[in-house]
């Protein structure tokens, strides 16, 4: 809980720093605060009884997710010191809102009842509605913020209705009580309980951009500022899947058959639509959006496998995905500046000739997302497939494997551009902070594949 309190204070401090001419201090103060939050998360882990009369539980899995999310946000703040150097408006507000959103993600890793789950989702989401429309003079950014807010509000309404129906049947917001009720009535669940679980699935499906609740994702990814897109595709995904796993992987494990079949249908559709539509993308941000949707399908497989090791597989997958994604968005920003704002994947052309080490780091991160050995992405997908097969989901695993092979193609399109010679020779300019973030992400994506360090 100390980490959540520190993040709340840090957000307020960053807001007040915006009143003065302290722009250069924003990133260092934020980085120190995030490092402190990560350290407190590690120190705060404890066995049950949980905090707040059972409202939250800070166990090892919660600690791992919180430390990882604080670390990824710290990398984004390091990147932000360069990203926000070209603007003078609302920089403190952007940093503060990122910290407030991270606070919501921390809540999602440790909630023990549905009210805390709702609180975590809203604290995570409301700052993002503002940040997605952060480019006030951009039509695309304004559209992204409005679309994200509008669809998010509808999803919240469904989610609240689901909570009300589940509470009405189980008589409690506590997840253990609800789990016991679901197990006792697994064969013949009440209709209102089924509807409540479906509505909760709609709300969570929107957060993780699962099909058919994914339509907001490509437009928001494209229109939001790049650093916000990177935050949404990494930290938000980690926090959201920690919440999903805590709900149906830890507590409500005895899902009604109709709900379980629906979730598997969503998983298959997410894998199919995410990969097929990504094949047609040439805009980098939209490609990453549909790639993120495809990865959501693999993560849902881990959650639905019903295995005790699913939590570790989920953590390892989201961590390795986040490292590769953050690094690629930093590379994209560098290439976009050299191409005068173009966002087509052709901006990567000539990178190998201009900066071979940058092309090599980009290659490693793309191979990790594609799941090619010896990168961490390969071990992440392999672990998900093993869990699914061990729990009897053979045909779903075979389908997912085919989708994984199909997904390699759209990453190869970016790799081809990276190693294609560009006669014009665009000049790629990197400073020390961007170089450091790319190096950490590239080395991490490779090192965690060669040496998982006990994470799997």
């Amino acid at each position: 809980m100390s980490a959540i309190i520190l993040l709340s204070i840090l957000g307020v401090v960053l807001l007040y720093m915006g009143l003065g001419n302290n722009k250069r201090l924003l990133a260092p103060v934020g980085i120190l605060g995030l490092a402190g939050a990560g350290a407190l998360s590690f120190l705060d882990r404890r066995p049950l009884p949980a905090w707040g009369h059972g409202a939250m539980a800070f166990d090892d899995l919660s600690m791992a997710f919180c430390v990882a999310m604080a670390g990824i946000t710290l990398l984004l703040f390091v990147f932000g010191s360069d990203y926000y150097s070209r603007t003078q408006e609302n920089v403190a507000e952007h940093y503060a809102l990122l910290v407030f959103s991270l606070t919501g993600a921390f809540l999602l890793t440790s909630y023990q009842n549905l009210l805390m789950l709702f609180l975590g989702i809203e604290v995570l989401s409301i700052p993002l509605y503002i940040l997605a429309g952060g480019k006030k003079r951009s039509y695309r950014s304004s559209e992204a913020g409005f679309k994200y807010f509008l669809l998010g509000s509808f999803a919240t309404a469904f989610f609240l209705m689901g909570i009300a129906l589940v509470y009405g049947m189980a008589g409690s917001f506590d997840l253990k009580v609800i789990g016991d009720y679901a197990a006792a009535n697994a064969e013949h669940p009440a209709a209102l309980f089924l509807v409540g679980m479906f509505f909760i699935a709609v709300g969570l499906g929107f957060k993780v951009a699962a099909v058919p609740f994914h339509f907001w994702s490509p437009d928001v990814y494209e229109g939001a500022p790049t650093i916000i897109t990177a935050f949404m595709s990494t930290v938000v995904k980690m926090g959201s899947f920690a919440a999903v796993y805590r709900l149906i992987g830890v507590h409500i494990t005895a899902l009604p058959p109709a709900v379980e079949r629906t979730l598997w249908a969503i998983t298959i559709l997410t894998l199919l639509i995410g990969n097929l539509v990504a094949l047609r993308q040439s805009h980098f941000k939209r490609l990453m959006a549909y790639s993120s949707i495809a990865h959501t399908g693999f993560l849902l497989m881990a959650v639905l496998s019903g295995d005790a090791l699913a939590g570790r597989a989920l953590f390892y997958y989201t961590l390795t995905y986040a490292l590769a994604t953050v690094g690629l968005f930093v590379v994209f920003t560098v290439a976009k500046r050299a191409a005068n704002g173009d966002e087509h994947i052709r901006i990567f052309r000539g990178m190998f000739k201009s900066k071979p080490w940058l092309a090599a780091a980009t290659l490693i991160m793309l191979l990790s997302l594609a799941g090619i050995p010896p990168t961490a992405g390969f071990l992440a997908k392999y672990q998900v497939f093993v869990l699914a097969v061990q729990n009897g989901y053979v045909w779903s695993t075979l389908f997912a494997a085919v989708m994984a092979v199909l997904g390699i193609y759209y990453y190869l399109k970016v790799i081809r551009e990276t190693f294609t010679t560009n006669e014009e020779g665009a000049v790629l300019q990197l400073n020390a902070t961007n170089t450091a973030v790319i190096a950490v992400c590239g080395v991490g994506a490779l090192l965690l594949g060669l040496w998982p360090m006990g994470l799997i």
Side-chain angles (χ1 to χ4, degrees):
M1 193 63 190
S2 302
I4 295 174
I5 295 172
L6 175 60
L7 287 177
S8 303
I9 296 172
L10 176 63
V12 175
V13 169
L14 291 173
L15 273 178
Y16 275 98
M17 288 180 66
L19 297 176
N21 190 20
N22 300 309
K23 180 181 173 183
R24 292 185 177 180
L25 295 177
L26 289 170
V29 170
I31 290 168
L32 287 174
L34 290 169
L40 288 176
S41 296
F42 180 79
L43 296 173
D44 264 356
R45 71 191 194 282
R46 65 190 67 173
L48 297 178
W51 179 87
H53 300 285
M56 301 177 71
F58 300 96
D59 50 24
D60 287 341
L61 187 63
S62 169
M63 177 272 296
F65 271 102
C66 288
V67 171
M69 289 188 296
I72 295 299
T73 309
L74 189 151
L75 288 177
L76 289 173
F77 269 51
V78 174
F79 168 47
S81 64
D82 171 65
Y83 184 84
Y84 288 118
S85 65
R86 289 162 170 78
T87 180
Q88 300 294 327
E89 296 182 349
N90 308 120
V91 177
E93 287 81 355
H94 278 227
Y95 280 123
L97 288 171
L98 284 172
V99 170
F100 288 139
S101 185
L102 177 64
T103 305
F106 271 43
L107 291 173
L108 290 179
T109 67
S110 51
Y111 70 93
Q112 290 285 91
N113 66 46
L114 291 179
L115 290 181
M116 292 303 297
L117 170 59
F118 173 72
L119 181 63
I121 287 178
E122 291 306 294
V123 175
L124 174 77
S125 301
I126 292 173
L128 294 176
Y129 298 152
I130 303 168
L131 290 169
K135 295 181 179 179
K136 293 188 290 185
R137 296 177 180 84
S138 169
Y139 171 79
R140 288 191 312 171
S141 184
S142 299
E143 180 189 9
F146 179 72
K147 183 174 290 188
Y148 193 30
F149 167 73
L150 192 64
L151 294 177
S153 299
F154 278 110
T156 298
F158 277 102
F159 187 73
L160 273 175
M161 187 63 183
I163 289 177
L165 292 175
V166 169
Y167 172 79
M169 298 308 300
S172 175
F173 292 114
D174 187 86
L175 292 181
K176 186 178 185 306
V177 175
I178 296 171
D180 292 341
Y181 173 85
N185 298 273
E187 295 298 325
H188 303 286
L192 287 180
F193 183 76
L194 280 177
V195 174
M197 290 300 297
F198 280 128
F199 282 176
I200 289 175
V202 169
L204 293 177
F206 176 85
K207 278 294 136 208
V208 300
V211 175
F213 316 109
H214 68 290
F215 290 104
W216 62 272
S217 180
D219 292 334
V220 174
Y221 272 47
E222 181 181 2
T226 301
I227 191 171
I228 307 306
T229 304
F231 181 85
M232 292 172 62
S233 60
T234 56
V235 175
V236 173
K237 185 175 285 289
M238 292 183 78
S240 299
F241 268 103
V244 172
Y245 176 71
R246 205 165 189 87
L247 181 67
I248 64 177
V250 175
H251 293 286
I252 311 178
T253 54
L255 288 173
V259 175
E260 186 174 6
R261 287 194 297 268
T262 301
L263 291 176
W264 272 109
I266 289 173
T267 301
I268 298 301
L269 283 174
T270 302
L271 287 168
L272 180 65
I273 300 300
N275 282 293
L276 287 182
V277 181
L279 292 173
R280 302 170 51 193
Q281 304 304 312
S282 57
H283 185 286
F284 181 75
K285 278 188 172 181
R286 295 187 75 87
L287 186 150
M288 292 297 288
Y290 283 105
S291 161
S292 176
I293 293 169
H295 283 284
T296 292
F298 294 113
L299 290 165
L300 285 173
M301 281 186 64
V303 174
L304 294 174
S305 66
D307 195 284
L309 298 176
R312 297 182 67 178
L314 200 68
F315 171 72
Y316 182 78
Y317 197 120
T318 54
L319 175 62
T320 56
Y321 170 80
L323 283 173
T325 301
V326 167
L328 284 173
F329 275 117
V330 178
V331 174
F332 164 73
T333 302
V334 172
K336 177 182 174 181
R337 289 172 179 170
N340 298 317
D342 189 6
E343 296 185 349
H344 192 280
I345 61 172
R346 60 174 169 262
I347 64 175
F348 289 83
R349 188 172 300 170
M351 186 179 293
F352 179 70
K353 182 179 179 180
S354 175
K355 293 196 182 305
W357 76 267
L358 184 60
T362 303
L363 173 65
I364 291 171
M365 292 182 288
L366 286 167
L367 291 179
S368 183
L369 290 182
I372 304 297
T375 62
F378 168 74
L379 284 182
K381 282 192 174 69
Y382 174 76
Q383 192 177 19
V384 170
F385 292 163
V386 169
L387 286 176
V389 170
Q390 287 178 345
N391 288 277
Y393 302 108
V394 178
W395 289 109
S396 298
T397 305
L398 289 174
F399 177 80
V402 172
M403 291 296 103
V405 173
L406 185 65
I408 294 172
Y409 175 75
Y410 51 82
Y411 294 117
L412 286 178
K413 291 197 301 183
V414 183
I415 293 172
R416 180 190 62 196
E417 296 290 347
T418 302
F419 289 88
T420 298
T421 302
N422 185 3
E423 299 300 332
E424 298 178 3
V427 179
L428 300 175
Q429 297 180 345
L430 290 94
N431 59 19
T433 55
N434 288 346
T435 300
V437 174
I438 294 169
V440 168
C441 293
V443 171
L446 182 60
L447 184 62
L448 286 175
L450 297 173
W451 182 42
M453 294 183 288
L455 296 178
I456 59 175

